Amino acid sequence: TGSRASIQAALRTLLAAPWPSQRDIHSWLQLLSVLQWVLSFLLLGIVSLLLLIYLAFTSFWPISALYLAWIIFDWDTPEKGGRRLPCLRRWTVWRHFRDYFPVKLVKTHDLSPSHNYIIGSHPHGILCVGAFCNFITGSTGFGEMFPGIRPFLTTLAGNFRLPVFREYLMSGGLCPVTRRAIGYLLSKNGTGNAVAIVIGGAAESLSCRPGVTTLTLKNRKGFVRLALQHGAHLVPSFSFGENDLFRQVVFEEGSWMRSIQQRFQKMMGFAPCVFYGRGLTSIQSRGFLPYAKPITTVVGEPVTVPRIEDPSSEVVDMYHEMYVRSLLKLFNENKTKYGLSETDELHIL
């Protein structure tokens, strides 16, 4: 009898407790979707590599051997368009991911499926949230806004050498940021391809902080040469709010910490940033999750580019200048709509 009474009392207490609201549930799902994304990008490759090495010394060694054989057989696939899985791009998790910030895509001009494009994505930020959400997931409606256009996003080639992680990246439409991989998509994959390149790269991430809009672009001209060689039109895009997602400790030029970051960047291809965001338990705590700040990615007007197999430096400079002007126009026409003031300027280094 006593045990029955205690069970009944426990049930009454449970029923009397406030149940989470629908809003609370959505908030938790959004937080978990961002958590899985951050952990995937920071840990999936390294953990998979360590696990396969460990299995190689156990009775499960055939798993490691078979996967190694698969990677050798499949080595060039990332350079040849990858292996997209449309179902992954439509994954429900990405809608919660989008709503966490939220992320929004804005179209200003049509893109014809009869051409190929290189989309310049600015700024880099810390983890390129805007570029990933808009060009890799279908959650912001890229396919509906630009019918007939297949978006791809480039990332460090070294990521495609990590087991399991390479499959995850390719399934979403990521490819290595190499001339061969980009050239394949622009010349041997038909038309209607849009390859997004985060042009500022690791160097730009070192100067990423809220309230500062500085791009590393002045001497980045390889993407323009590629566009000319393949006749791909250049499209500027800018993600307003990208630099507000994390707080970074920025070391001054000439300091020993800055020099270490720059040397590491030259050797490894990415820069070790010292940054923090919010924690998992509350907004006030510190952790590695991005702050919930709105991101609006505006895709601008295409710069028409002719096909020139061996463009001269003068021609590359001319189209680079046209691209920069188009990007500045995009920034200045939209800055006050998406959180910046009229006096904010875009600094290009």
Side-chain angles (χ1 to χ4, degrees):
T1 306
S3 61
R4 183 186 298 175
S6 61
I7 291 172
Q8 290 175 342
L11 285 173
R12 282 195 295 270
T13 304
L14 182 63
L15 292 172
W19 287 83
S21 66
Q22 193 170 10
R23 183 177 179 181
D24 290 333
I25 293 171
H26 282 304
S27 296
W28 295 341
L29 289 173
Q30 290 166 15
L31 194 63
L32 288 173
S33 69
V34 173
L35 176 64
Q36 68 81 27
W37 180 77
V38 172
L39 291 178
S40 296
F41 269 81
L42 295 181
L43 298 177
L44 181 59
I46 297 298
V47 170
S48 300
L49 178 61
L50 294 175
L51 179 60
L52 286 171
I53 293 172
Y54 168 75
L55 291 177
F57 296 95
T58 69
S59 58
F60 295 101
W61 65 266
I63 295 175
S64 299
L66 286 171
Y67 191 79
L68 177 61
W70 165 251
I71 283 190
I72 293 171
F73 173 78
D74 198 53
W75 190 260
D76 286 336
T77 299
E79 302 275 353
K80 295 181 178 180
R83 190 168 40 249
R84 296 162 68 98
L85 290 177
C87 59
L88 187 70
R89 294 170 61 87
R90 296 192 298 267
W91 202 14
T92 305
V93 168
W94 301 132
R95 293 204 296 271
H96 297 302
F97 180 87
R98 171 201 65 196
D99 295 339
Y100 170 84
F101 298 95
V103 182
K104 181 183 177 185
L105 181 65
V106 175
K107 168 186 171 180
T108 61
H109 292 77
D110 291 329
L111 298 182
S112 170
S114 60
H115 297 290
N116 285 325
Y117 303 89
I118 288 180
I119 301 178
S121 179
H122 311 273
H124 183 285
I126 296 293
L127 294 179
C128 305
V129 172
F132 177 86
C133 192
N134 287 298
F135 303 130
I136 293 303
T137 81
S139 62
T140 57
F142 185 97
E144 291 73 28
M145 289 187 195
F146 302 100
I149 303 295
R150 292 181 298 276
F152 296 84
L153 179 63
T154 58
T155 185
L156 291 173
N159 288 329
F160 295 90
R161 304 297 175 242
L162 293 170
V164 181
F165 190 45
R166 69 191 294 276
E167 325 299 339
Y168 178 73
L169 294 177
M170 283 193 290
S171 64
L174 282 114
C175 63
V177 62
T178 61
R179 299 179 70 86
R180 183 186 174 196
I182 298 169
Y184 181 93
L185 292 172
L186 297 178
S187 62
K188 298 179 181 179
N189 200 43
T191 59
N193 300 293
V195 184
I197 304 175
V198 187
I199 295 164
E204 191 172 279
S205 67
L206 292 177
S207 58
C208 160
R209 59 185 185 271
V212 177
T213 45
T214 301
L215 303 184
T216 302
L217 178 60
K218 189 176 289 184
N219 296 316
R220 299 288 174 100
K221 299 178 181 179
F223 74 102
V224 178
R225 184 174 294 277
L226 270 172
L228 284 161
Q229 289 172 339
H230 298 284
H233 298 342
L234 290 166
V235 183
S237 72
F238 196 93
S239 292
F240 294 91
E242 183 74 46
N243 284 351
D244 297 330
L245 304 183
F246 293 96
R247 303 291 181 265
Q248 182 179 184
V249 179
V250 178
F251 301 101
E252 296 300 323
E253 288 290 344
S255 66
W256 65 275
M257 276 299 294
R258 185 72 165 199
S259 64
I260 289 175
Q261 286 177 315
Q262 290 169 339
R263 286 178 188 174
F264 194 92
Q265 173 202 326
K266 288 178 181 177
M267 289 189 296
M268 303 300 293
F270 65 94
C273 301
V274 181
F275 68 91
Y276 66 89
R278 60 157 292 178
L280 186 61
T281 55
S282 71
I283 299 173
Q284 287 73 31
S285 61
R286 289 190 180 185
F288 54 87
L289 294 178
Y291 291 107
K293 303 287 186 180
I295 304 170
T296 304
T297 301
V298 184
V299 179
E301 182 178 4
V303 176
T304 303
V305 174
R307 185 173 183 178
I308 304 173
E309 193 170 329
D310 187 22
S312 65
S313 297
E314 290 75 21
V315 171
V316 171
D317 289 344
M318 180 181 74
Y319 279 95
H320 183 272
E321 191 175 320
M322 289 169 64
Y323 175 83
V324 171
R325 283 203 302 268
S326 183
L327 176 62
L328 287 169
K329 178 186 176 186
L330 171 72
F331 178 82
N332 289 322
E333 287 180 351
N334 291 278
K335 61 184 179 181
T336 55
K337 298 177 188 176
Y338 305 114
L340 300 180
S341 67
E342 191 64 50
T343 56
D344 282 320
E345 294 182 354
L346 187 62
H347 303 285
I348 296 177
L349 302 178

